[in-house]
Amino acid sequence: MRILRGLYGAVGFALAAVLAAALTLTSGGPAHAGQTPLRAADPSVIRVGGTYISVQSTGGGISVRQAASTDALASAPARQVWSDTRGRGEVWAPELVRDGGRYYIYFTAGAGANHRMFVISSASADSGYTAETQLALPDDKWAIDGTLFTFSGQRWFVWSGWAGDTNVEQNLYIARMSSPTTPTGARYIISQPRESWERVVGNPFINEAPEAIKDPNGQLHIVYSANGSWSNQYCLADLRLRPGGDPTYVWDWYKSNGCLFGSNAATMMRGWDPTLYVDGPGHHSFVLLDGDIATSPPAGPRFPLMFHAVPKGTPYSWSNRYWYTGTFCWWGGVTYSRANVPGPNTDTGWGLKFFE
């Protein structure tokens, strides 16, 4: 097992002992992550009972796979559940969510500046989906990588989008939802790619692929991908909502001071090591029970993660991305710092460690 450096606080030392002893996952599988045979991007995976369910974009449609483990998903048969019969355009990054016992798949479709978020739903994971409906997101701007979650009794939708109508930078936005298919109120910006470590690759600079999770203290995190997905600088970073914070108020969010999962030492947060086996890990999926952040894992063990990356030694390109199985755990006593903005300059709480 690889020894990690950079421990933060007493909780961090306690977790280090746990990690040193934990050579297997809670499911009994290997602790080391692996490249799956599936050459694809943007995994979205949830667990329902003992079944793992994934969705992916397949040509002009969306396919669902089901298997008894994350490792087995890549070899499971892909069942197409939606086809682009209306010429919606490029179909990107479908995201599977379960709400009220019903399955919802959010995805991006369009071309150029016309990319927008759509949703389909069904009572069954792999059949019977409705026709697509465009989400009426506030301001109706370019939007990709959206996902739904519930926090503090309120449904929220978070996505990557443009402030205006031109491709300058991709920001993270959040909006309330009155139902799984109905946004309500305004959109609020919660992150912009303004830190030096997330501006290594640009044109545009990028914050995208947001995924929500709750830490052991119940605080909300949005883990996202930074830097261009066309480069090996692609990486995961974290937004942590301060205790009692307002998800719509940008200065209640504290950003990690570097990548938490990436392949370039220069952009990693202090105490986080770059990957050994993959380049440009990103666009991840926390594999949660029912896809519900209320089932977010406690401190201590590692839990399943899926992400896409390119094997080291392979030319970095979109066509060379594979799905990978990995793990993550909470890391205690982590301070995120900032300057020249409203509110306290530092916030200390749970961060995340990611493992290949």
Side-chain angles (χ1 to χ4, degrees), residues 61-344:
I62 294 171
S63 292
V64 169
R65 299 171 187 263
Q66 299 188 78
S69 69
T70 54
D71 289 325
L73 280 169
S75 58
R79 181 167 183 174
Q80 188 156 317
V81 298
W82 177 82
S83 298
D84 183 14
T85 59
R86 303 186 189 185
R88 295 290 189 182
E90 297 164 333
V91 179
W92 291 349
E95 183 80 9
L96 181 63
V97 171
R98 197 163 184 244
D99 185 294
R102 191 169 179 85
Y103 295 89
Y104 295 85
I105 299 176
Y106 301 90
F107 62 95
T108 303
N114 293 319
H115 284 92
R116 296 296 189 271
M117 291 302 310
F118 292 81
V119 61
I120 57 178
S121 69
S122 175
S124 173
D126 65 352
S127 63
Y129 280 86
T130 61
E132 74 278 11
T133 300
Q134 182 177 333
L135 285 182
L137 292 175
D139 298 335
D140 189 27
K141 302 299 183 182
W142 187 92
I144 67 168
D145 294 354
T147 189
L148 179 85
F149 65 93
T150 298
F151 178 70
S152 293
Q154 171 67 55
R155 289 187 182 93
W156 301 90
F157 196 77
V158 62
W159 73 98
S160 177
W162 297 350
D165 296 318
T166 55
N167 190 8
V168 177
E169 62 182 3
Q170 288 177 219
N171 307 314
L172 298 184
Y173 294 92
I174 197 169
R176 292 179 175 86
M177 300 284 282
S178 61
S179 78
T181 58
T182 309
T184 182
R187 68 171 178 164
Y188 300 90
I189 196 166
I190 60 172
S191 181
Q192 294 173 279
R194 299 293 175 85
E195 301 300 320
S196 60
W197 51 268
E198 54 187 354
R199 295 174 70 86
V200 179
V201 174
N203 193 26
F205 297 114
I206 282 174
N207 283 178
E208 65 183 13
E211 294 288 337
I213 194 167
K214 283 202 307 186
D215 70 27
N217 288 342
Q219 288 172 245
L220 178 63
H221 293 244
I222 302 291
V223 178
Y224 66 96
S225 298
N227 289 306
S229 64
W230 55 91
S231 120
N232 66 6
Q233 294 285 347
Y234 206 50
C235 71
L236 294 185
D238 181 34
L239 294 173
R240 182 175 64 217
L241 186 68
R242 70 169 182 82
D246 177 357
T248 69
Y249 182 53
V250 64
W251 303 123
D252 278 351
W253 292 94
Y254 285 77
K255 182 178 289 192
S256 59
N257 298 115
C259 302
L260 301 186
F261 194 36
S263 54
N264 294 275
T267 57
M268 299 301 292
M269 183 164 163
R270 183 180 178 185
W272 270 253
D273 293 321
T275 52
L276 293 175
Y277 308 107
V278 303
D279 279 331
H283 207 122
H284 70 298
S285 183
F286 295 117
V287 184
L288 301 178
L289 179 62
D290 292 325
D292 184 355
I293 69 168
T295 71
S296 297
R302 297 194 200 177
F303 285 81
L305 174 81
M306 292 202 77
F307 59 94
H308 78 232
V310 172
K312 279 195 182 294
T314 302
Y316 197 94
S317 68
W318 281 346
S319 62
N320 283 335
R321 295 176 296 186
Y322 288 82
W323 281 16
Y324 280 80
T325 59
T327 58
F328 73 97
C329 74
W330 293 109
W331 205 253
V334 181
T335 298
Y336 297 161
S337 61
R338 63 191 189 182
N340 303 316
V341 298

